[in-house]
Amino acid sequence: MKSAADLQIITYPHPTLRYQAKPLRKVDARLKEIVDRMFELMYEYRGVGLAATQVDLPLRLFVMNSTGRQGDGQEIVMINPVISRPRGNEIAEEGCLSLPSIHGNVIRAKTIRVNAFTLDGQEINQDFSGYEARIIQHETDHLDGSLFIDRLKEGSELEIQGELEQLEIDFESRQRTGSLAEDSQLKADIAAWEAAYC
Ligand code: NI
C-alpha cells in the first residue's frame, strides 16, 4: 500500500473517481497522515475541497477549507458524511481538481444538514449553507462516484466535450506507457485499503 507522501490527485477518467467509497470504520496514525497529505495537495492545487477517492483511496472521507488558503478559514475533515434536509436551490459555477480546466454551472441545495465524524471521533451534526454547503455536496458526490459534470444541464455537456476527450487521451497514454497502473492493479490496491479501514 502507498504511503501518505506518495498520494497524488488522480484525474478523469481514472476508474477510482467512479468508485462508491465504503464507510470508514477505523482511524489510525496513517489515516491522520493521509488527511494531512490531502490538505497539502488541496492547497498546492488551489482547491477548496478534496475527497479520498480523488487520491485513489476508496474511503468515505473528505477535507475542505472554503477559503482555499492554508492558515486561513477553517479546516474541516468529514468522515462518513450523510446529507439530509436539502432546502432551496442555487446555481453556481464549479470546477474540480480531478477535471482540470473544466468548469460548469451546477444546481445545488442552498442549505443542508450534515451528519459526519471528525478525525477525533467527534460527531458533526450541523447545518451548512451557501458556498460551504456547495463544497460538501460536491465532495460527498465524489464519495458516491459522481462528478459535477454528471449534473450539468444537457447542452452545456457539449461545451466541455473537447476537454473531456483530451483528458481521456492523456489518461490512455499514461496507462499505455506504464506511468499509471493497470486496472487489475488498481482493483487490488482498492481491496487492500478496504480490508484495512472499512
Ligand atoms: Ni471535485
Side-chain angles (χ1 to χ4, degrees):
M1 280 158 83
K2 276 174 283 197
S3 74
D6 293 332
L7 296 178
Q8 293 292 341
I9 296 175
I10 57 172
T11 53
Y12 174 92
H14 193 295
T16 302
L17 293 172
R18 292 306 191 180
Y19 198 79
Q20 168 114 22
K22 302 272 189 310
L24 205 64
R25 299 197 189 283
K26 191 176 96 177
V27 172
D28 60 9
R30 181 166 58 175
L31 198 83
K32 290 180 180 172
E33 286 173 19
I34 287 168
V35 165
D36 287 345
R37 175 65 179 155
M38 285 172 66
F39 274 117
E40 190 176 82
L41 288 166
M42 185 187 85
Y43 292 128
E44 185 182 339
Y45 291 92
R46 298 169 189 280
V48 291
L50 189 67
T53 47
Q54 293 182 273
V55 291
D56 200 14
L57 298 178
L59 311 176
R60 219 162 171 81
L61 87 102
F62 67 79
V63 302
M64 64 182 275
N65 178 342
S66 63
T67 70
R69 290 186 300 271
Q70 193 162 17
D72 204 356
Q74 192 191 1
E75 290 189 341
I76 299 174
V77 181
M78 288 200 182
I79 295 173
N80 301 341
V82 176
I83 293 173
S84 61
R85 298 187 59 203
R87 281 149 282 161
N89 280 307
E90 221 165 36
I91 189 157
E93 194 180 67
E94 293 188 15
C96 179
L97 297 180
S98 294
L99 289 150
S101 79
I102 296 176
H103 294 88
N105 285 326
V106 183
I107 300 172
R108 301 279 188 190
K110 200 171 180 173
T111 302
I112 50 169
R113 167 73 48 88
V114 185
N115 196 263
F117 288 90
T118 67
L119 212 44
D120 306 324
Q122 302 288 320
E123 195 173 0
I124 301 169
N125 203 348
Q126 199 184 324
D127 284 355
F128 291 87
S129 56
Y131 193 40
E132 287 193 324
R134 178 169 295 273
I135 296 168
I136 292 165
Q137 289 170 85
H138 177 117
E139 299 311 328
T140 304
D141 267 0
H142 272 301
L143 301 179
D144 289 324
S146 181
L147 302 170
F148 84 88
I149 51 171
D150 306 337
R151 294 184 181 272
L152 295 178
K153 273 192 314 196
E154 239 174 283
S156 53
E157 242 172 0
L158 289 172
E159 292 167 24
I160 60 163
Q161 206 53 50
E163 278 101 336
L164 287 181
E165 277 166 19
Q166 190 55 54
L167 288 173
E168 284 161 17
I169 291 165
D170 294 348
F171 183 82
E172 278 162 29
S173 81
R174 268 181 293 147
Q175 214 161 24
R176 237 191 349 262
T177 57
S179 65
L180 197 89
E182 299 273 342
D183 283 357
S184 57
Q185 182 58 48
L186 295 173
K187 274 187 191 143
D189 289 346
I190 279 182
W193 284 102
E194 284 181 345
Y197 288 100
C198 301

